[in-house]
Amino acid sequence: MKRYLLPLFLIIMLSFSSCDEENIANDSIVGEWEMKSASNGMTGALTDYSPGNGSIMKFTDSSYEIISNWQLTRSGLYSIVKETSNLDNKIYNRVVYDNETNSIKSFFKVENNLLYIWTDGNDGTSVVYRRK
């Protein structure tokens, strides 16, 4: 009986570790994202965008592309760092584009195949993208 417990234990542990890897991938910024909605920081007005709107962000492990109206508007390298927000003093993931560490901070989170990006300012904008 003991002889069968170790292989059974290993199989169970491997199945749990593969589930963790899937969750990490789903929470990753890597992928192609299409704009779903945007909030104007000054007015608070929310604009919804229908699928196929041509506003896309693409992230690989190290590079990004920003596409607006089906045209590439910006591309380069990015990094992710943990930083404290000036607004609520909480730590979030920050996207640093092209090593521009002194630029306005853009924080993000990924939940349920949605990418939330917001700027760190009292009247900052926020954008929601859906995974394509």
Side-chain angles (χ1 to χ4, degrees), residues 26-117:
N26 288 339
D27 292 341
S28 171
I29 196 171
V30 173
E32 188 171 327
W33 304 87
E34 182 177 46
M35 187 181 291
K36 181 181 182 299
S37 63
S39 174
N40 181 312
M42 295 291 285
T43 66
L46 181 67
T47 304
D48 291 320
Y49 295 91
S50 57
N53 60 61
S55 294
I56 297 169
M57 293 192 78
K58 295 180 183 178
F59 292 93
T60 68
D61 287 333
S62 60
S63 65
Y64 73 94
E65 292 181 353
I66 299 175
I67 298 167
S68 182
N69 295 319
W70 302 107
Q71 301 293 317
L72 179 66
T73 58
R74 186 173 175 185
S75 63
L77 300 177
Y78 77 96
S79 60
I80 297 173
V81 296
K82 296 227 181 258
E83 285 196 22
T84 303
S85 168
N86 294 322
L87 294 175
D88 61 9
N89 209 30
K90 293 183 180 178
I91 297 174
Y92 297 103
N93 287 323
R94 177 186 177 194
V95 181
V96 179
Y97 300 100
D98 302 312
N99 206 29
E100 295 174 353
T101 56
N102 292 327
S103 65
I104 295 172
K105 294 178 183 179
S106 291
F107 292 108
F108 78 93
K109 71 177 179 178
V110 177
E111 287 181 350
N112 300 319
N113 287 319
L114 295 175
L115 169 63
Y116 300 86
I117 299 179

